[in-house]
């Protein structure tokens, strides 16, 4: 299978010439690394590092939520992390960052490929019920300026025998002809920059962000079963999300950290 490399010159040129992408201060592409999130978390120790993007053609130790492994063959996926300094953002609103990132991934996929991407709360990206992308958000420890790293793993050209789990999919398996990974990276970064800038300019008011998220979240309105640490179970209708981005199952609010699995009931 032909898996061309990312066009780093095209990416860097876009960051200097496209108004929306001037939000970012730089982008690097590496052939291989353990984890793009871990690399940017290490760079966060320098308080001047802000709004940077790292993409790996292969990621050897990628992680999802609850440290679940996330791997793929070289150039078959987009493994991308971005770091932002959250100056002025109330720490109680940090839970909205993964939801914002998920919304950006959905919109980038829809606009670039036309696939019917949707969100499974909180931020798994699905196509017709199968997972095509996962997002891991991590806060950097300490420092005078808080930093958060958002990592995205997006399946592009994986074949059925290369999928990490049976319920996953890829753009190739969704009949997207010759998906352009460089265009996908640029679309994802553009959507993230626009969403983040609009949120900041609204003085971090979540009303518009929450409305956009609700429109894209396939979980809402469906019966679900939340498996809790320690063997507990919560079932009911996924009714809404609250002001902190938590899922309301009936009248009970749960955060992503409260549950081990969320499944259809």
């Amino acid at each position: 299978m032909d898996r061309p490399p990312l066009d780093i010159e095209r990416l860097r040129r876009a960051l200097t010439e496209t108004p929306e992408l001037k939000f970012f201060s730089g982008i690097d592409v590496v052939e291989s690394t353990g984890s793009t999130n871990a690399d940017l978390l290490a760079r966060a120790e320098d308080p001047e590092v802000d709004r940077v993007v790292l993409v790996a053609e292969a990621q050897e130790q990628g992680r999802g939520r609850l440290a679940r492994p996330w791997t793929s063959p070289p150039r078959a996926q987009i493994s991308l992390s971005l770091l932002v300094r959250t100056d002025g953002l109330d720490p109680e609103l940090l839970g909205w960052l993964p939801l914002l990132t998920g919304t950006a991934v959905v919109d980038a996929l829809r606009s670039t490929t036309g696939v019917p991407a949707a969100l499974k709360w909180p931020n798994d990206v699905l196509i017709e019920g199968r997972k095509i992308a996962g997002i891991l958000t991590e806060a950097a420890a300490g420092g005078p300026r808080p930093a958060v790293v958002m990592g995205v793993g997006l399946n592009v050209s994986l074949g059925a025998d290369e999928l990490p789990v049976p319920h996953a999919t890829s753009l190739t398996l969704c009949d997207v002809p010759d998906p352009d990974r460089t265009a996908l990276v640029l679309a994802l970064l553009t959507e993230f920059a626009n969403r983040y800038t609009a949120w900041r300019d609204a003085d971090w008011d979540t009303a518009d962000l929450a409305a956009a998220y609700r429109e894209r979240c396939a979980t809402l309105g469906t019966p679900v079963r939340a498996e809790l640490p320690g063997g507990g179970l919560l079932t009911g209708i996924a009714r809404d999300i609250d002001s902190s981005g938590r899922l309301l199952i009936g009248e009970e609010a749960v955060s992503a950290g409260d549950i081990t699995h969320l499944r259809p009931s």
Side-chain angles (χ1 to χ4, degrees), residues 5 12 27 34 42 62 72 86 139 151 153 156 172-173 182 187 207 224 228-229 238 248 265:
R12 287 177 173 160
I27 184 169
S72 93
T86 56
V156 178
T172 294
L173 293 173
T182 302
V224 296
L228 310 177
L248 298 177
S265 178

Side-chain angles (χ1 to χ4, degrees), residues 13-65:
R13 187 167 59 250
L15 262 63
T16 61
E17 296 178 356
T18 306
E20 297 92 335
L21 291 175
K22 291 180 180 179
F23 172 90
F24 297 101
S25 62
I27 184 169
D28 290 315
V29 176
V30 296
E31 277 300 315
S32 178
T33 190
S35 162
T36 54
N37 262 32
D39 292 348
L40 287 191
L41 287 169
R43 292 185 61 186
E45 295 179 6
D46 180 350
E48 299 304 313
V49 173
D50 188 14
R51 302 186 184 187
V52 296
V53 182
L54 177 63
V55 192
E57 295 284 26
Q59 190 170 227
E60 307 300 332
Q61 300 170 14
R63 294 168 292 122
R65 200 173 71 85

Side-chain angles (χ1 to χ4, degrees), residues 242-259:
D242 69 8
S243 60
S244 298
R246 298 179 299 176
L247 184 67
L248 298 177
I249 302 176
E251 299 303 318
E252 189 83 18
V254 294
S255 68
D258 292 334
I259 64 174

Side-chain angles (χ1 to χ4, degrees), residues 213-230:
Y213 181 86
R214 289 186 181 101
E215 289 176 4
R216 292 154 180 79
C217 185
T219 305
L220 298 182
T222 66
V224 296
R225 182 183 67 193
E227 299 176 11
L228 310 177

Side-chain angles (χ1 to χ4, degrees), residues 5 27 45 49 83 87 149 161 186 224 226 234:
I27 184 169
E45 295 179 6
V49 173
L83 179 152
D87 301 312
V149 174
D161 60 338
L186 290 174
V224 296
L234 177 64

